Amino acid sequence: MRIGFFLVIVSLLLLGTFALSGSAHMGPISAHFDGYRFHNLQPIQRSFDDYLDWMLRREAGSWEAVTDAPIGSPPAERIDGVDLRVTHVNHSTVLLQTQGMNILTDPIWSERASPFGFIGPKRYHPPGIRFEDLPPIDLVLISHSHYDHMDLPTLRRLSDRDQPLILVGLGNAATLEGAGIENVEELDWWQTKALGDQMNVTGVPVQHWSSRSLVDRNRTLWLGYVVEAPGGPIYFAGDTGLGPHFAMTRERFGAMRLALLPIGAFRPRWFMKPVHISPDEAVEAHQILQAKTSLAVHHSTFRLGEDGQHEAPRKLRAAIRKAGLSEDDFWIAEFGFGRWAPPLSVPAEDLPVQTAAR
């Protein structure tokens, strides 16, 4: 009886694992795809045993739910011309408004970054903007398949409400389409999609990995994005470790007007370093990209590493000072409150004054 019960439990776990498994790419072999799995520019030497070792020795920093956070006012419906309005909702969700287009990166309004509503990383900070207050969304950029970046409930709400174009890395479209999400297109590294006459978006390499279960690791592509627009290119890294991709992207597109760079889930370094930059490395990436302005993302919302809730922003402030920069160069923005990003060719002092109120 005990053996039978054990086999039933194992069978249910295996069935659940395969049920959660995302889609997979089927296509020609390339420099970063061997016909079955995708690979980084730099190999990552990390095993499941390393993960177990981390879990057994884990010493996470302190986190507590934020219950009194201010909620931002509804953003403008459209921002026309070269002006760029940037609103960090929180985590990796950013609203970019320029040229009359509204763009969302890795949107998540769910309470957990998980396939389940009762288990998995929970939200410690509410979204800085209510979903109902979002302007019409034209384009959604999804960096990779992890649940804190590719949140199907939020994407389904956006698809039902606005029917935006949703861009994903190779292999991810079937997962979204299977969830009833429409208008999805896949991009490979260095593949470009035209967004009208004056804007393009290109998928670019980053150093990370993908999975939605225990059996589909690296079967879909992870990527960052460069949005080319009047006023200068906008870079969204998604999740990434440090690597040659920053210099490659800078060489191809030139200096960045704005770079959205992750800073959280960086500890423990022995485990996270290949796939998550630290606050110090985010400043290094800012400099490599020659970004006029950078925005810190992927922090203070979901507990995903050992760093404490406010540790990444605190360390970033120290790294900014050490590099001789200011917080006008590298923003740690209040969630939900928009700021104007200066174009490459216009001094910051010639733009509207940054204030918390819209």
Side-chain angles (χ1 to χ4, degrees):
M1 288 294 290
R2 288 182 180 178
I3 293 175
F5 179 75
F6 175 76
L7 290 175
V8 169
I9 294 298
V10 170
S11 298
L12 289 173
L13 288 173
L14 288 173
L15 286 171
T17 293
F18 281 99
L20 291 174
S21 180
S23 52
H25 178 61
M26 303 288 289
I29 293 172
S30 71
H32 53 280
F33 181 65
D34 63 11
Y36 188 74
R37 297 187 194 279
F38 289 95
H39 303 277
N40 285 292
L41 296 173
Q42 298 180 141
I44 294 176
Q45 302 299 327
R46 209 171 59 169
S47 68
F48 186 67
D49 288 344
D50 292 327
Y51 177 76
L52 290 178
D53 188 30
W54 171 37
M55 289 293 101
L56 290 171
R57 296 191 292 147
R58 189 168 187 173
E59 296 180 0
S62 64
W63 285 69
E64 61 181 30
V66 177
T67 59
D68 58 351
I71 300 297
S73 303
E77 184 161 320
R78 303 281 176 186
I79 299 294
D80 295 319
V82 74
D83 290 342
L84 172 59
R85 188 72 167 167
V86 184
T87 307
H88 188 191
V89 177
N90 60 17
H91 200 53
S92 296
T93 305
V94 179
L95 173 65
L96 303 168
Q97 298 180 279
T98 188
Q99 295 292 310
M101 178 169 281
N102 295 329
I103 304 170
L104 264 184
T105 65
D106 287 353
I108 178 167
W109 265 260
S110 293
E111 286 302 308
R112 289 187 183 270
S114 169
F116 309 108
F118 60 92
I119 194 171
K122 68 178 182 179
R123 178 182 289 279
Y124 281 84
H125 197 295
I129 295 175
R130 284 179 286 263
F131 183 89
E132 295 76 12
D133 290 338
L134 281 173
I137 301 302
D138 306 296
L139 174 65
V140 177
L141 305 177
I142 300 297
S143 62
H144 62 290
S145 66
H146 291 160
Y147 288 93
D148 58 317
H149 295 264
M150 195 167 87
D151 180 53
L152 296 184
T154 298
L155 291 172
R156 194 180 297 113
R157 292 175 74 186
L158 285 166
S159 180
D160 290 345
R161 195 191 74 162
D162 297 331
Q163 297 82 51
L165 171 64
I166 301 174
L167 296 180
V168 297
L170 295 177
N172 286 296
T175 297
L176 273 63
E177 291 164 354
I181 299 163
E182 300 178 342
N183 202 18
V184 183
E185 294 187 24
E186 296 180 345
L187 290 182
D188 198 355
W189 289 352
W190 307 122
Q191 185 177 355
T192 299
K193 168 76 175 179
L195 304 174
D197 296 334
Q198 299 190 67
M199 296 177 65
N200 295 316
V201 60
T202 300
V204 296
V206 293
Q207 181 87 6
H208 204 57
W209 62 293
S210 65
S211 77
R212 290 180 77 78
S213 76
L214 296 176
V215 298
D216 61 351
R217 185 181 178 91
N218 296 348
R219 299 297 309 280
T220 62
L221 184 62
W222 52 95
L223 74 174
Y225 294 92
V226 172
V227 178
E228 296 176 274
I234 303 163
Y235 176 77
F236 171 51
D239 268 354
T240 184
L242 199 62
H245 53 281
F246 289 116
M248 294 168 67
T249 301
R250 163 67 181 84
E251 289 165 5
R252 183 170 294 219
F253 295 98
M256 296 295 146
R257 176 184 188 173
L258 175 70
L260 311 181
L261 296 172
I263 63 169
F266 68 94
R267 289 202 302 110
R269 290 311 290 151
W270 71 268
F271 185 81
M272 293 296 191
K273 185 175 177 61
V275 293
H276 284 164
I277 54 177
S278 67
D280 293 280
E281 290 171 333
V283 171
E284 185 177 349
H286 165 88
Q287 294 170 322
I288 294 170
L289 292 165
Q290 297 182 7
K292 189 174 186 73
T293 308
S294 288
L295 170 67
V297 300
H298 199 267
H299 67 87
S300 308
T301 306
F302 296 100
R303 183 167 62 183
L304 302 170
E306 288 188 0
D307 35 312
Q309 189 169 10
H310 306 295
E311 184 176 349
R314 185 175 68 250
K315 287 186 177 293
L316 179 61
R317 290 186 177 94
I320 289 168
R321 291 193 298 271
K322 184 178 179 180
L325 302 172
S326 76
E327 290 189 32
D328 288 330
D329 301 312
F330 205 134
W331 297 341
I332 306 168
E334 185 177 4
F335 297 151
F337 293 89
R339 306 186 77 170
W340 298 100
L344 288 173
S345 57
V346 178
E349 57 266 23
D350 292 344
L351 285 155
V353 175
Q354 305 284 5
T355 62
R358 285 189 177 83

